Structure formats: C-alpha cells, structure tokens
Amino acid sequence: MTEVLTIDGTEAHVKQPNQSYEQPQLAPDDLRYCQDKLHHGSRSFLAASFLLPVQMRKAATALYAFCREADDLVDLGVDATESLRVVCDRVEQVYSDRPLLSPADRALRSVARHYSLPKALLDALIEGFAWDASHRSYQNLDALEDYAARVAGTVGAMMSVLMGARDPNVLARACDLGVAMQLTNICRDVGEDARAGRCYLPLDWLAEQGLTPEVITEKPLAQLLDPRNANKVRKVVDRLLARADELYTRADCGIAMLPSNCQRGIRMARRLYAGIGDEVARADGYDINHRAYVSGKRKLALISRHWFNQSAFDRTLLNLPPLTSTAWLVEAVQSATPARPVQISRGLMQNNSNTRDEMIAVLHIMDRLEYARRKQLQIGSGKLPMHYAAGRK
C-alpha cells in the first residue's frame, strides 16, 4: 500500500505495510489541527515523521502538537506561573474523564489511552518548561543533563512507547537520543539564548575559560556575546558537542532494536540533528550571531551517506545503564502496564531504490517548505512584493 503525502503541491509516495492494525481513534478535525502545528513547527521532526508507519506518524503528530502548544504557552505567555498552572491542569484533564476543549488535548488523550503513555513523562516535560521559565542555569554537565532529560529525554521515551519498545535498554538509548538532540540545540542557540539573558552551557566549563555570566536577568549576557570571548565560548561548545556525539553513538544501537519500519524515520531525525552539530563544529570561524542550519543538499548528503550502513554500531553499548538523569524515566515506563500490545509491522528493512526515492521526495518537500517560509519572511519585511506569494519566482 502506498500513501501519498502532499505539501505545497509536492507529492511524496510513501509505502506502508499491508497489515491493518488497531490505531488510536483520532477525530479527523483534531488530527488536521495537530498536523498544522507540526507543519509550522520543527522541519526536522516533520521530515522524519514522513518516514514513520502511518499509525505511528499520527500518534507522534498528536504528541508533538500538545508539547508545542504547552511550550509556547509557557514560553510566550505573559505570566509564566499561570501558564504552567494551565498546562498542568490540561495534563490532569487528559488523564481524566472530563470533556476536553482543545483539539491537541483530545488527540493526546486518545494516544495516551491507546498506548498507556505514563503521565509521569508529561509531568517531567512540564517541569522542564518550568525550569526554562525561571531562566535556570546549570552548574555542571550533570545538572544540564537533568534539564535535557526533562525537555527531550522524555520525548525519546514517549516515542519509544508509541513504537511498543518498552525494553529498558531500548528506552535508555531513546533517552540518550533525546538528550543528545537537546545538547545539539543548546550549542546551536548559544547566541540566541545569550541575547535573551539565558545560558545553558555548563557554568563550571565556562569558568575554566574565565567566563562567569550572571544568569539572573533578561538582559543580554555580555560576556558570551563579546567577540573577544568567541574562542573561549567555542571551546565549551565543542566540548558539549563531543558529549552529544557520545550519546548519538549510544543511541544508534537502540534505534537498531526498534520495529523495522520505524527505524528509518528515527535514524533520519538522529542524522539531521547530529548534522546541525556538525555545522556548528565545522564552521571556519565561530560566530555566535549565526544560527547553524542544515541545507537541503547537506541533508541529502547526510542521509545518503548513512542510509545503508545500518549495522555500524557497537552492540555492547545497548546494555549500558541509562544516564543518571534519565533512569527514572525508564522506570516510569517500566512501571506502566500497557493496555494492549502495540503492533507495528516488523520484518526486513527495505533498503532499495524505492526507499531512497521516498527519502529524496521527503527532503524535496522540506526544501519547498523552507523556500516558502523564507519567501514569506521576505514579503513581510518588504523585500519582495506581495504578488510573489502567489507562486515560486
């Protein structure tokens, strides 16, 4: 069976398994609402989701939409304390029998009930949002990974649950992947965060370089933004990227243990996020004012290089204990009894020209989306006339 995905007039034909499995009951309008959230959110997550089995993609889209809404509510709200209270209440309602008003909440309830998604994972995610709202800083790597476990390790654990992968070793590696992605994001956004008065880099590492930014106000952090300190900041960023690479390597063996037709989407997400770190690391000169991103051509090169190399991982890493920061997330999933086994098509991974064509089509869609987004920004700034919105020029 082939599913046709259409975005901005571009079609991608993605093969799906012939088996018919029970899926969470998502109302069509609620699903469309969640899909819209995803299409206007993370491009890397969107690209990876196209390569997941259809039932997995719908569930992941619902999960993403709720998390995106909750994050925006806390991050952009006038009163962070009140926003956090609202988000916590929404989670409580999702796990109750009370009527729900938000399409994202209704979709999440269906997913949570179908997959027995532990509430503790969402509670931990919201705790991470609270840490963000308080402009919390992190004295060392352990403290930073405690934060990354909440805002991203939880997502790795939740995605693992959606795939029916509740083995503790696989869950530990899923959390490794989430933490690695968050560390990559931190390295990419040092300048953006510093201008907002935030610093996520380990303070003890910065102190070793003679930097002691005071993260107590929303004023820009002058020490981090000072061009004279660029090399010092770069050393800390490179050190954190190296830690992320360690965790990406640990995660590879966990990805290999996922259901076969879930692996390519997760592997794609892993490569794209690691690629962002590579762009930061390989820049000729570290520019804190430049936000690294992976171009469409670079994405294709990254995926093509690793697509067929699926056995290149150290199997001994699979049995490593979870990070101290994520062990409790693994335990939370282990303590929750699934209502039903999750059935996702297994069997041989299809590495052939069709699979490669799917990948290229997805990346083509991502390029179209990126082009459209940049064009809208140019129109909004007056750099392009309004009639350019009608088509590609």
Side-chain angles (χ1 to χ4, degrees):
M1 180 178 69
T2 300
E3 181 185 9
V4 180
L5 305 171
T6 305
I7 297 180
D8 286 357
T10 300
E11 291 187 352
H13 296 262
V14 180
K15 294 179 67 176
Q16 295 297 339
N18 293 324
Q19 295 94 328
S20 177
Y21 293 134
E22 184 181 359
Q23 301 178 27
Q25 298 301 309
L26 302 177
D29 287 345
D30 292 347
L31 179 59
R32 279 191 291 271
Y33 176 89
C34 295
Q35 289 170 334
D36 186 64
K37 283 285 183 182
L38 177 56
H39 290 167
H40 291 88
S42 170
R43 294 189 297 275
S44 294
F45 192 97
L46 177 60
S49 72
F50 287 153
L51 296 178
L52 292 172
V54 62
Q55 77 269 33
M56 175 68 189
R57 185 185 327 123
K58 290 178 180 179
T61 299
L63 183 62
Y64 175 89
F66 179 86
C67 294
R68 180 76 273 158
E69 271 197 0
D71 190 19
D72 287 346
L73 183 61
V74 175
D75 197 36
L76 304 177
V78 176
D79 186 338
T81 301
E82 174 61 17
S83 296
L84 283 165
R85 186 198 64 77
V86 170
V87 171
C88 289
D89 186 60
R90 285 175 63 174
V91 172
E92 292 293 338
Q93 290 187 53
V94 164
Y95 282 85
S96 72
D97 292 322
R98 288 180 283 175
L100 300 174
L101 298 178
S102 167
D105 293 7
R106 291 193 294 267
L108 179 61
R109 173 182 282 178
S110 296
V111 169
R113 289 181 174 178
H114 185 84
Y115 294 99
S116 299
L117 186 67
K119 178 175 173 291
L121 299 182
L122 286 162
D123 289 340
L125 180 66
I126 294 170
E127 186 178 22
F129 294 164
W131 289 9
D132 270 334
S134 66
H135 282 208
R136 190 166 177 163
S137 57
Y138 303 96
Q139 183 60 39
N140 50 43
L141 180 62
D142 288 343
L144 179 60
E145 289 185 352
D146 282 341
Y147 162 73
R150 284 161 173 78
V151 296
T154 50
V155 178
M158 287 189 279
M159 291 292 288
S160 187
V161 167
L162 299 189
M163 288 179 256
R166 291 176 178 258
D167 177 87
N169 290 330
V170 177
L171 284 165
R173 304 292 76 83
C175 292
D176 287 345
L177 180 58
V179 171
M181 288 177 169
Q182 186 60 31
L183 297 185
T184 299
N185 284 340
I186 288 169
C187 292
R188 178 194 62 190
D189 296 339
V190 171
E192 184 177 317
D193 291 332
R195 284 185 286 275
R198 300 185 180 190
C199 175
Y200 292 94
L201 298 175
L203 297 182
D204 60 346
W205 290 5
L206 289 170
E208 291 174 13
Q209 299 298 323
L211 302 175
T212 56
E214 294 187 29
V215 190
I216 56 176
T217 71
E218 293 187 4
K219 295 181 180 179
L221 302 181
Q223 273 196 333
L224 298 184
L225 295 170
D226 189 335
R228 293 172 296 182
N229 293 328
N231 288 336
K232 296 178 180 180
V233 176
R234 178 58 185 262
K235 290 178 181 178
V236 175
V237 168
D238 285 346
R239 191 173 173 184
L240 195 58
L241 286 173
R243 173 57 173 171
D245 285 341
E246 290 177 15
L247 296 177
Y248 283 126
T249 301
R250 287 164 56 121
D252 284 339
C253 54
I255 295 174
M257 301 302 293
L258 296 174
S260 58
N261 63 347
C262 292
Q263 291 181 27
R264 58 185 182 175
I266 303 304
R267 186 173 287 108
M268 184 176 188
R270 176 256 193 265
R271 295 297 177 190
L272 292 182
Y273 270 87
I276 293 172
D278 292 342
E279 291 297 320
V280 174
R282 75 192 190 113
D284 292 335
Y286 181 60
D287 182 2
I288 200 170
N289 295 308
H290 175 70
R291 192 176 194 262
Y293 77 99
V294 182
S295 67
K297 289 182 179 179
R298 176 70 175 156
K299 287 175 182 174
L300 182 57
L302 282 170
I303 302 302
S304 297
R305 183 188 310 163
H306 299 286
W307 193 256
F308 298 99
N309 188 21
Q310 296 181 45
S311 60
F313 59 85
D314 184 351
R315 294 180 182 273
T316 63
L317 298 178
L318 180 65
N319 298 321
L320 288 177
L323 298 173
T324 303
S325 60
T326 62
W328 62 288
L329 299 176
V330 175
E331 293 172 3
V333 175
Q334 290 289 287
S335 64
T337 303
R340 60 177 66 80
V342 177
Q343 293 180 302
I344 293 181
S345 175
R346 297 176 185 269
L348 294 177
M349 179 78 176
Q350 294 187 13
N351 280 337
N352 52 34
S353 59
N354 289 334
T355 300
R356 188 178 178 86
D357 288 345
E358 291 169 14
M359 174 189 70
I360 293 172
V362 167
L363 290 176
H364 178 54
I365 287 175
M366 301 317 299
D367 276 345
R368 288 289 299 274
L369 288 173
E370 177 66 17
Y371 175 86
R373 184 166 302 177
R374 292 188 178 193
K375 186 169 67 175
Q376 288 300 323
L377 289 174
Q378 289 179 311
I379 292 171
S381 65
K383 293 181 180 179
L384 284 177
M386 285 297 296
H387 70 265
Y388 271 72
R392 183 165 183 163
K393 301 293 183 181

